[in-house]
Amino acid sequence: MSNKESLSERDICTKYITPAIIKAGWDLHSQIREEVSFTQGRIIVRGKLHTRGEQKRADYILYYKSNIPLAVIEAKENSCSVGAGMQQALNYADTLGVPFVFSSNGDGFLMHDRTGLTNRIEQALTLDEFPSPAQLWQQYCQWKGLETAKARHTVEMPYYDDGTGRVPRYYQANAINNTVEAVAKGQPRILLVMATGTGKTYTAFQIIWRLWKSGTKKRILFLADRNILVDQTKNNDFKPFGAAMTKISKRQIDKSYEIYLSLYQAVTGSEEEQNIYKQFSPDFFDLIVIDECHRGSAAEDSAWREILDYFSSATHIGLTATPKETRDVSSIHYFGDPVYSYTLRQGIEDGFLAPYKVVRIDIDKDLQGWRPSKGQTDKHGEMIEDRIYNLSDMDRTLVLEKRTELVAWKITEFLTATDPYAKTIVFCDDIDHAERMRQALVNLNPERIKENRKYVMRITGDDIEGKAELDNFINPEERYPVIATTSKLMTTGVDAQTCKLVVLDQHIRSMTEFKQIIGRGTRINEDYGKFWFTIMDFKKATELFADKDFDGQPVVVYEPKSNESPAPPDQEYGMHFDESGTPLPPLEKGGIEGGFEKGDNEEESGLKRVKYVMGDVTVHVIAERVQYYGPEGKLITESLKDYTRQTVRRDYASLDEFLRRWSQAERKAAILQELQQHGVLLEPLADEVGKDFDAFDLICHVAFDRPPLTRRERAENVKKRNYFAKYNEQARQVLEKLLDKYADTGIENIEDIKILTLDPFRNMGTASELVSVFGGRQAYLAALHELEDNLYV
């Protein structure tokens, strides 16, 4: 083996790759970043525990400017071929959206050009032929269509830097760059799709900052549909705009500012009033950013569209987690295809969003139905229409008070068993339902209510005191309120970072609304132990997870032309059916589709419906099951043992294959970590199978039906063999203590040499002294491996 072949991957980088890049003109401090981790690693949840999967980490990312990544380089040891890292690098380049990809083993480079502007996609380069920043930038601009000096100036404008070292995450950088490039090229309508909890407002701020600072856009209007959103934005992410920014309020217009924030209702009015936005000339704004644009701007008859039509010469950027596609409303029709999409599934996969467990609870009257006896009246004396009432009627046309109490009891039971102070949002069908749910939860939690009457609060559009508690609910530092019952008010724009339980006791027939509600729990807050959340579903809403549209790319609704079949290729989302196959009515007005601050009040929306109230109909839970969010973005419904069995067998086809890998492994802990990254968590598995079993036995027993031995039994078997006799007395004592430690705590702990610094070993000498009794570190490790071989015969 040559000297170069014996070098580590890091040494190859330091001695060959980095010097070659610098020689080509790349600045070590501003353009070259090494060992860049750009994802967090997916959070894997089993039982009450969690772990993280592997982060994605590039050996090098090269930047033209600090905000413009151009190339990825994957380094390999010299014993590998020059192109050995190419497929891995292409995977990273896909994620990061960069066009130039390199693999190197220190002898030269293999370059892959994704721009399609050259005849050869891949070519070999010597170390001296690495391209300069100017060469790649020129080609990048050609690839992106940035033809003018003005367009390039816009794109080169750096991010706002607050001095803390905070930089956009990779997907935020992709979203910002793609949007800024689209504006620089003169695209008039732009759509940006980012899942709830991924930092849309921060992303919007950086887009506006770069366009404003470059002089490309001078006067900018940011529109949101909730007052709380406007205030949060002004006081937090948009704060750096300082004196250049104003919030339009009290229907007053001051034309001396450059950045305007507005609740869209604040710039519109009834027909009798002059719409305040008309005090601006139609060409006053050259950029309008519409937050949560699915909420109305896409509908041709909406008030937002009136504003957008008036300022039609401005560039319009729509931001949403859920582009709306229905027969009547299309975000894509108005804004065009998204310039970038970052989905819930991608966010969970990357470890930036919290995964979830689903607890599905089925109630007998929901599934089996309830029919009144002839002439039966409800508690208000109302004659009940004679028919079968089932899940689609509950809390809409039929109120079973005992059902509300049962739902409240299951919520209380869950919180008592997990964390009574875990922030919880209970989504109800309307304000009346939210109030009944509040009362039921208050009655079931008397001790908590004595501690603080705000333990349970109804937070709905019509309740001033409830709305006043919204800030406290979403503030991680405020304990109260703990449980919020709501209807529509909290579906969007509520940044509840520590919400750990989302309860669905609401009929949800809109995919848009479903995604928004799920988004209330997807934020991670490590400081407060929020890594995952639970969805408790009483109305089969989580069946929408199985819908092909749940987390796919947004698709325009099928509209057949004259020569096409009227039947779409697949049943489109938008038609909904009950259990009997009868089409359900569309979501009521005043829901998320059309209402705002007070939209969850059915009387206000003009929809008065008969609602029978029954206080004496008993209800029971007939099924309850837990589902996990799995690695492929699907819900896993099998037990922990079944999941472990399937996962291990996917990695190891047979017991012999697992045993061979186990015996050959330098460190057994590495195999266990690998399995954990695939979702196998051993501690909750041990709770089910037996706490005294070794991890090895748990896996062999659950996955391959091999009878398990306890750690103590394995340790006793080793002692019976008396193979320690060949060691001197001190070494023998160390091995016996290691065996005792294994019996107590398992294999992972004794593999770590640091164990020699702990009791009882430190009473026997220092770690280096104990290692020396074996004849040095290598001899100690050899003795440890022999001990492991004897443990697992």
Side-chain angles (χ1 to χ4, degrees):
M1 184 186 286
S2 72
N3 184 44
K4 195 172 183 180
E5 284 183 330
S6 67
L7 293 175
S8 69
E9 190 180 288
R10 266 291 95 204
D11 287 338
I12 291 292
C13 291
T14 306
K15 292 175 185 291
Y16 297 98
I17 298 176
T18 303
I21 302 168
I22 292 170
K23 190 178 176 187
W26 296 84
D27 183 88
L28 180 62
H29 303 293
S30 64
Q31 294 182 307
I32 303 170
R33 285 183 63 200
E34 294 190 55
E35 296 190 284
V36 186
S37 292
F38 54 91
T39 69
Q40 297 277 68
R42 185 170 68 91
I43 293 171
I44 301 157
V45 181
R46 289 291 172 268
K48 294 178 183 178
L49 301 177
H50 75 274
T51 185
R52 277 199 184 264
E54 281 185 282
Q55 297 180 328
K56 285 188 176 180
R57 193 184 73 174
D59 289 325
Y60 293 86
I61 301 178
L62 304 185
Y63 295 79
Y64 181 65
K65 300 277 186 182
S66 62
N67 54 322
I68 306 172
L70 291 183
V72 172
I73 306 172
E74 188 58 33
K76 293 295 176 190
E77 294 173 356
N78 190 250
S79 55
C80 300
S81 69
V82 71
M86 182 52 76
Q87 294 198 141
Q88 189 178 348
L90 283 167
N91 180 2
Y92 293 166
D94 247 353
T95 303
L96 295 167
V98 300
F100 306 111
V101 192
F102 298 87
S103 173
S104 178
N105 63 354
D107 288 342
F109 295 94
L110 181 66
M111 176 181 177
H112 184 109
D113 181 354
R114 301 173 71 220
T115 66
L117 298 173
T118 51
N119 293 330
R120 294 182 66 188
I121 295 173
E122 288 193 356
Q123 59 176 315
L125 305 173
T126 67
L127 289 174
D128 293 331
E129 291 175 327
F130 195 85
S132 69
Q135 285 174 287
L136 294 189
W137 177 236
Q138 178 67 31
Q139 200 172 329
Y140 177 91
C141 290
Q142 197 181 340
W143 175 55
K144 287 285 192 175
L146 304 170
E147 291 160 5
T148 65
K150 185 183 176 186
R152 294 186 186 193
H153 170 70
T154 301
V155 170
E156 289 179 26
M157 186 56 55
Y159 296 124
Y160 170 77
D161 183 354
D162 63 4
T164 64
R166 179 187 183 185
V167 294
R169 293 168 171 172
Y170 87 83
Y171 63 85
Q172 292 170 338
N174 287 353
I176 296 161
N177 288 339
N178 286 12
T179 305
V180 169
E181 285 164 1
V183 173
K185 288 188 288 186
Q187 189 172 317
R189 305 287 177 262
I190 296 162
L191 181 63
L192 190 53
V193 178
M194 293 174 70
T196 300
T198 55
K200 281 198 301 297
T201 312
Y202 172 71
T203 302
F205 161 71
Q206 291 288 10
I207 290 166
I208 295 168
W209 179 271
R210 284 173 62 184
L211 294 172
W212 180 58
K213 279 291 181 183
S214 67
T216 306
K217 299 295 178 185
K218 295 181 176 63
R219 285 193 291 227
I220 295 143
L221 175 62
F222 180 87
L223 282 172
D225 73 324
R226 294 270 172 91
N227 213 28
I228 187 171
L229 294 182
V230 176
D231 291 337
Q232 278 176 2
T233 301
K234 184 171 184 284
N235 299 331
N236 299 325
D237 287 318
F238 279 38
K239 200 172 184 180
F241 287 124
M245 170 177 60
T246 187
K247 175 187 172 184
I248 298 174
S249 59
K250 298 177 183 171
R251 312 189 72 77
Q252 298 298 310
I253 292 298
D254 183 339
K255 298 179 185 177
S256 63
Y257 293 92
E258 295 172 71
I259 312 291
Y260 292 78
L261 278 67
S262 177
L263 185 69
Y264 96 86
Q265 294 95 321
V267 292
T268 59
S270 62
E271 287 179 21
E272 297 82 49
E273 296 175 305
Q274 181 191 0
N275 280 322
I276 196 168
Y277 65 84
K278 290 185 177 172
Q279 293 180 38
F280 294 108
S281 62
D283 61 355
F284 184 84
F285 294 110
D286 40 24
L287 175 66
I288 300 179
V289 178
I290 307 99
D291 192 26
E292 305 289 3
C293 69
H294 65 277
R295 294 278 302 221
S297 62
E300 291 187 17
D301 59 351
S302 79
W304 288 32
R305 274 296 287 274
E306 200 178 315
I307 300 170
L308 298 187
D309 289 344
Y310 182 77
F311 297 116
S312 60
S313 62
T315 302
H316 298 170
I317 299 174
L319 306 174
T320 182
T322 50
K324 185 189 290 185
E325 301 307 322
T326 69
R327 291 182 186 280
D328 305 312
V329 179
S330 170
S331 302
I332 289 174
H333 178 71
Y334 182 79
F335 289 103
D337 289 325
V339 292
Y340 186 70
S341 290
Y342 189 70
T343 65
L344 175 68
R345 184 180 301 177
Q346 285 171 292
I348 293 174
E349 201 56 44
D350 289 340
F352 294 121
L353 293 179
Y356 45 82
K357 290 195 296 186
V358 175
V359 177
R360 283 277 299 275
I361 297 173
D362 295 333
I363 296 172
D364 58 349
K365 298 298 185 289
D366 294 354
L367 302 190
Q368 297 163 1
W370 175 80
R371 185 174 182 176
S373 56
K374 189 173 181 184
Q376 188 170 1
T377 58
D378 74 352
K379 67 183 291 185
H380 301 308
E382 188 86 34
M383 180 75 74
I384 305 170
E385 182 190 347
D386 183 18
R387 65 178 178 84
I388 294 172
Y389 294 83
N390 57 25
L391 182 60
S392 61
D393 296 295
M394 296 302 164
D395 301 300
R396 295 170 70 79
T397 52
L398 178 69
V399 172
L400 300 181
E401 291 181 337
K402 290 192 182 300
R403 185 190 179 284
T404 307
E405 290 166 15
L406 179 60
V407 170
W409 165 244
K410 297 308 289 184
I411 296 167
T412 302
E413 186 181 51
F414 179 88
L415 291 174
T416 304
T418 53
D419 174 6
Y421 298 98
K423 297 276 185 174
T424 300
I425 305 177
V426 186
F427 286 98
C428 303
D429 268 309
D430 52 33
I431 286 172
D432 168 59
H433 185 195
E435 174 56 24
R436 285 187 288 105
M437 188 62 70
R438 184 196 68 79
Q439 291 173 25
L441 285 162
V442 164
N443 289 331
L444 285 167
N445 291 275
E447 294 304 315
R448 306 285 175 216
I449 298 296
K450 274 182 201 167
E451 288 171 18
N452 192 306
R453 68 177 181 81
K454 294 180 180 178
Y455 181 77
V456 184
M457 293 290 290
R458 170 165 65 90
I459 301 179
T460 49
D462 71 323
D463 189 279
I464 293 169
E465 185 169 351
K467 278 202 294 189
E469 290 299 322
L470 186 54
D471 281 350
N472 289 329
F473 180 80
I474 65 181
N475 184 350
E477 294 180 13
E478 292 289 343
R479 172 169 273 194
Y480 301 103
V482 173
I483 305 173
T485 69
T486 190
S487 174
K488 307 293 182 189
L489 183 66
M490 297 174 73
T491 49
T492 61
V494 177
D495 189 5
Q497 297 173 20
T498 52
C499 176
K500 291 185 179 179
L501 178 62
V502 174
V503 180
L504 305 178
D505 198 25
Q506 185 182 99
H507 292 87
I508 301 169
R509 297 193 216 103
S510 152
M511 184 61 73
T512 300
E513 183 173 18
F514 180 61
K515 284 187 179 182
Q516 292 287 349
I517 286 175
I518 297 310
R520 297 313 100 212
T522 54
R523 287 168 174 82
I524 293 168
N525 190 316
E526 298 194 13
D527 294 340
Y528 289 86
K530 163 69 187 303
F531 293 91
W532 49 278
F533 70 107
T534 302
I535 300 165
M536 185 176 277
D537 180 18
F538 292 92
K539 285 191 173 151
K540 291 195 168 186
T542 52
E543 289 184 351
L544 291 175
F545 282 129
D547 192 286
K548 64 183 173 58
D549 289 336
F550 172 62
D551 206 18
Q553 295 297 316
V555 182
V556 176
V557 166
Y558 175 72
E559 293 177 354
K561 298 184 177 67
S562 57
N563 60 340
E564 291 177 331
S565 164
D570 294 297
Q571 183 187 330
E572 66 197 50
Y573 205 88
M575 286 293 285
H576 312 277
F577 304 86
D578 65 16
E579 289 83 354
S580 66
T582 307
L584 290 165
L587 191 74
E588 77 231 65
K589 290 175 185 172
I592 191 171
E593 308 291 358
F596 298 98
E597 289 288 334
K598 296 185 182 177
D600 45 357
N601 189 335
E602 63 184 31
E603 283 79 12
E604 197 173 300
S605 67
L607 285 172
K608 185 78 174 164
R609 58 172 179 255
V610 175
K611 194 183 282 186
Y612 305 114
V613 180
M614 299 297 296
D616 56 356
V617 177
T618 57
V619 293
H620 304 283
V621 171
I622 56 173
E624 192 168 341
R625 59 194 178 280
V626 177
Q627 300 171 304
Y628 293 95
Y629 182 94
E632 286 81 38
K634 294 194 171 84
L635 288 176
I636 298 162
T637 53
E638 65 262 46
S639 71
L640 201 54
K641 285 198 275 191
D642 290 341
Y643 181 75
T644 301
R645 184 183 183 93
Q646 285 186 17
T647 305
V648 173
R649 288 189 162 204
R650 201 162 51 227
D651 289 350
Y652 303 98
S654 65
L655 175 61
D656 285 346
E657 190 181 322
F658 178 73
L659 294 176
R660 188 164 54 251
R661 174 81 197 283
W662 185 267
S663 64
Q664 290 170 355
E666 226 17 63
R667 287 176 64 251
K668 315 299 183 201
I671 296 176
L672 301 180
Q673 284 165 6
E674 212 172 84
L675 287 170
Q676 282 186 323
Q677 285 168 2
H678 294 171
V680 174
L681 289 193
L682 296 167
E683 283 188 52
L685 189 64
D687 287 341
E688 276 192 34
V689 180
K691 287 181 178 294
D692 297 328
F693 296 127
D694 185 69
F696 169 83
D697 284 281
L698 282 174
I699 293 162
C700 291
H701 174 62
V702 171
F704 302 108
D705 302 313
R706 175 168 153 155
L709 294 176
T710 65
R711 291 190 300 273
R712 187 69 57 194
E713 285 171 331
R714 287 194 175 278
E716 290 303 321
N717 288 344
V718 172
K719 286 178 183 175
K720 286 174 193 169
R721 291 190 197 100
N722 199 27
Y723 88 94
F724 290 159
K726 65 182 180 179
Y727 293 99
N728 65 49
E729 188 179 349
Q730 230 184 330
R732 201 159 54 242
Q733 282 181 348
V734 172
L735 290 170
E736 284 170 356
K737 295 296 181 191
L738 283 171
L739 198 55
D740 290 341
K741 276 286 184 191
Y742 161 80
D744 289 338
T745 64
I747 194 70
E748 290 172 275
N749 288 327
I750 72 167
E751 286 192 322
D752 190 341
I753 203 165
K754 287 179 186 166
I755 198 170
L756 298 180
T757 64
L758 306 174
D759 287 337
F761 300 99
R762 62 180 169 193
N763 299 328
M764 299 163 64
T766 65
S768 56
E769 285 170 350
L770 297 181
V771 166
S772 67
V773 303
F774 289 88
R777 183 185 174 91
Q778 289 308 116
Y780 168 77
L781 292 175
L784 183 63
H785 287 147
E786 190 178 8
L787 174 61
E788 289 182 340
D789 290 344
N790 275 273
L791 274 169
Y792 297 111
V793 289

